[in-house]
Amino acid sequence: MGLFSTNPVAALGRATLEGIAAIGRVGLFAARGIGAALSPPWYPRQILGQFASVGFLSLPVVGLTAWFTGAALALNIYSGGDRFNAETVLPQIVALGITRELGPVLAALMLAGRVASAMASEIGAMRATEQVDAMVTLSTDPRRYLIAPRLIAATLSLPLLTLITDIIGVAGGMQVSNYLVDLAPSIYITNTIDFLTAWDVESGLIKSAVFGFIIGLMGCYHGDHAKGGARGVGRATTSAMVSAAVLILAADYLLTSVFALK
């Protein structure tokens, strides 16, 4: 009976209350995680390990994504600009699109798929095998040992990855423009540097720091709340990736709205 006999208004009310409760749980988890990240004791080895896992090991996939995105963007701009003889602005549009929007968002989405799911899987498996409870028994705070290093690494690594994404993405556009428009690389670089402002790059880096925190938060939150053994860990992994991607896109819209008014 349940589903079809349920009053739709009551079901909507319950769903709304559950949604508000979930937002409250995530907010509380985030506040505790930030508190642990900003106050000693810290675990340098854990933090460095997470930097290597989140940042260094993500370089190949982020680099490939950046190059193909820059090249495809240049192709599209050339195709559209050719209709009204605007191919010459190709370097400027590629640079602006990569630094302000595509670089931060695509790097974050790549990390949401690779890093958030890995964090949820790792912490969820530790929950399922009671390793987290064992830490508490040994007087080790899981928030400081597990959550804080991941939040720190994700928040600080993504801006660095975004900076690399910007450079590789612009290089991808440069190669395509050299082939299609016969624009010399030196002229392409000069046009790009002359056109870009510091804020174009800085706004992308600020966005990526927020996206990095979201990735770390969603990975840790869903892993820490995983229940039901291996199946629960699988659900936590999927939830971490999906929720991180959705929140990244929502945060991107909000931040872009704010930055556009600057």
Side-chain angles (χ1 to χ4, degrees):
M1 39 191 292
L3 179 63
F4 296 104
S5 63
T6 300
N7 184 334
V9 177
L12 180 62
R14 279 196 297 273
T16 303
L17 290 176
E18 288 173 5
I20 294 172
I23 292 171
R25 286 194 296 271
V26 173
L28 190 60
F29 187 88
R32 289 172 175 169
I34 292 172
L38 296 179
S39 61
W42 294 288
Y43 293 90
R45 183 173 294 181
Q46 283 290 101
I47 295 173
L48 290 175
Q50 290 302 317
F51 265 113
S53 174
V54 175
F56 183 73
L57 296 181
S58 299
L59 275 174
V61 66
V62 169
L64 279 174
T65 303
W67 192 93
F68 284 118
T69 301
L73 181 61
L75 282 172
N76 279 302
I77 294 170
Y78 173 78
S79 175
D82 186 48
R83 300 174 189 175
F84 42 90
N85 298 320
E87 310 97 313
T88 53
V89 297
L90 190 151
Q92 292 87 338
I93 298 178
V94 168
L96 196 65
I98 290 288
T99 55
R100 295 193 71 140
E101 189 64 33
L102 293 176
V105 172
L106 290 177
L109 291 178
M110 289 296 107
L111 256 67
R114 200 188 82 78
V115 174
S117 55
M119 288 180 180
S121 172
E122 190 176 4
I123 297 175
M126 294 179 74
R127 273 282 177 204
T129 55
E130 300 182 349
Q131 293 180 58
V132 177
D133 297 330
M135 279 185 195
V136 177
T137 304
L138 295 172
S139 301
T140 300
D141 187 350
R143 288 194 187 90
R144 298 190 182 281
Y145 192 79
L146 294 177
I147 309 301
R150 285 166 172 79
L151 289 178
I152 293 172
T155 304
L156 298 183
S157 292
L158 193 52
L160 296 176
L161 286 172
T162 299
L163 201 56
I164 296 170
T165 301
D166 292 346
I167 296 170
I168 296 176
V170 169
M174 182 178 69
Q175 287 190 342
V176 169
S177 69
N178 187 30
Y179 172 73
L180 288 177
V181 193
D182 199 22
L183 188 64
S186 59
I187 298 175
Y188 187 99
I189 293 172
T190 302
N191 288 348
T192 299
I193 293 174
D194 290 344
F195 178 75
L196 281 181
T197 65
W199 177 244
D200 294 330
V201 179
E202 290 167 1
S203 62
L205 297 182
I206 293 171
K207 279 185 180 180
S208 61
V210 176
F211 298 161
F213 178 76
I214 290 173
I215 291 168
L217 178 64
M218 289 296 101
C220 295
Y221 174 80
H222 287 286
D224 194 54
H225 289 75
K227 295 177 181 175
R231 183 172 292 182
V233 174
R235 283 196 299 269
T237 301
T238 304
S239 299
M241 184 176 60
V242 172
S243 58
V246 171
L247 288 177
I248 285 167
L249 295 175
D252 179 54
Y253 173 75
L254 290 175
L255 291 173
T256 302
S257 301
V258 173
F259 293 159
L261 300 176
K262 183 179 172 61

